[in-house]
Amino acid sequence: QQQVKQSPQSLIVQKGGISIINCAYENTAFDYFPWYQQFPGKGPALLIAIRPDVSEKKEGRFTISFNKSAKQFSLHIMDSQPGDSATYFCAASSNTNAGKSTFGDGTTLTVKP
Amino acid sequence: EAQVTQNPRYLITVTGKKLTVTCSQNMNHEYMSWYRQDPGLGLRQIYYSMNVEVTDKGDVPEGYKVSRKEKRNFPLILESPSPNQTSLYFCASRTMGPYEQYFGPGTRLTVT
């Protein structure tokens, strides 16, 4: 049973547009929700993360929106650039089982010039 | 430079031939994990370790073994590899506090 569902699987956006990737989770014990960015041939790297005590976190052009009641969180990339073209993974983990992490299936983002 | 290293980066082997993928981190992190990445399936956790001699199963542990005899090293062992273990493998580490994971560069394994 997949605990973190990510959509869409792929996304094409024009340069300057807004990219939005969504994730939904099932386990209410999750208390840490990161987004990782992966370029071809590289390992994933942390992009931005949020805890459930806030509804939004912004870092530069990247924003996480978090809806605890709906058990959903999303990544918004403002003013998308060709250099943002990568695969994005949402993830979730819990302090009660700190070693375990659950990832979404990933979204391949292509930003067209 | 703080990093997670994996070796080898690429490996082609045959069914049933035991292999080990090494992972080492220089950040003194307590937690280490192994993941496999397959198209359309994201990253699935194989095993994780919370400290030396403390390991636990992730979501897809079948066919894999791990050990954590030293804090910095966390090798992944495939005793009898099968073609369905052909995948891209990542090792990751993090501290006990912030949950950010640091990933290695990946090992692409092909089992024929």
Side-chain angles (χ1 to χ4, degrees), chain A residues 2-3 9 31-32 36 38 41-46 51 87 89 93-106, chain B residues 9 31 33 35 37 40-45 48 50 56-59 88 90 94 97-106:
Chain A
Q2 187 176 19
Q3 294 196 59
Q9 188 174 15
D31 61 3
Y32 178 73
Y36 286 84
Q38 183 183 30
K42 303 290 186 181
L46 181 70
R51 294 191 183 274
T87 300
F89 293 98
S93 58
S94 166
N95 190 43
T96 57
N97 190 358
K100 196 153 187 328
S101 290
T102 302
F103 283 75
D105 289 347
Chain B
R9 295 289 313 278
Y31 288 87
S33 291
Y35 296 88
Q37 182 176 5
L41 296 178
L43 289 155
R44 293 180 292 169
Q45 195 172 30
Y48 58 95
M50 289 152 284
D56 206 349
K57 296 177 181 179
D59 294 319
L88 179 59
F90 287 101
R94 69 169 181 87
Y99 289 179
E100 176 183 0
Q101 293 192 75
Y102 295 82
F103 284 82

Side-chain angles (χ1 to χ4, degrees), chain A:
Chain A
Q1 183 182 14
Q2 187 176 19
Q3 294 196 59
V4 178
K5 293 185 178 180
Q6 183 172 345
S7 63
Q9 188 174 15
S10 62
L11 181 62
I12 300 174
V13 174
Q14 289 294 128
K15 178 182 176 181
I18 302 174
S19 303
I20 302 174
I21 305 171
N22 301 299
C23 280
Y25 63 97
E26 298 169 4
N27 187 348
T28 56
F30 287 148
D31 61 3
Y32 178 73
F33 303 89
W35 285 91
Y36 286 84
Q37 181 187 54
Q38 183 183 30
F39 293 106
K42 303 290 186 181
L46 181 70
L47 184 63
I48 186 172
I50 198 168
R51 294 191 183 274
D53 53 345
V54 297
S55 60
E56 186 176 281
K57 182 173 181 180
K58 183 176 181 180
E59 291 184 0
R61 297 184 294 109
F62 301 92
T63 300
I64 297 179
S65 297
F66 186 82
N67 186 329
K68 188 174 182 178
S69 61
K71 293 188 287 185
Q72 295 175 348
F73 59 109
S74 60
L75 175 68
H76 296 238
I77 306 174
M78 311 300 288
D79 187 26
S80 299
Q81 299 296 312
D84 297 330
S85 297
T87 300
Y88 293 81
F89 293 98
C90 62
S93 58
S94 166
N95 190 43
T96 57
N97 190 358
K100 196 153 187 328
S101 290
T102 302
F103 283 75
D105 289 347
T107 296
T108 301
L109 172 65
T110 303
V111 181
K112 291 191 171 295

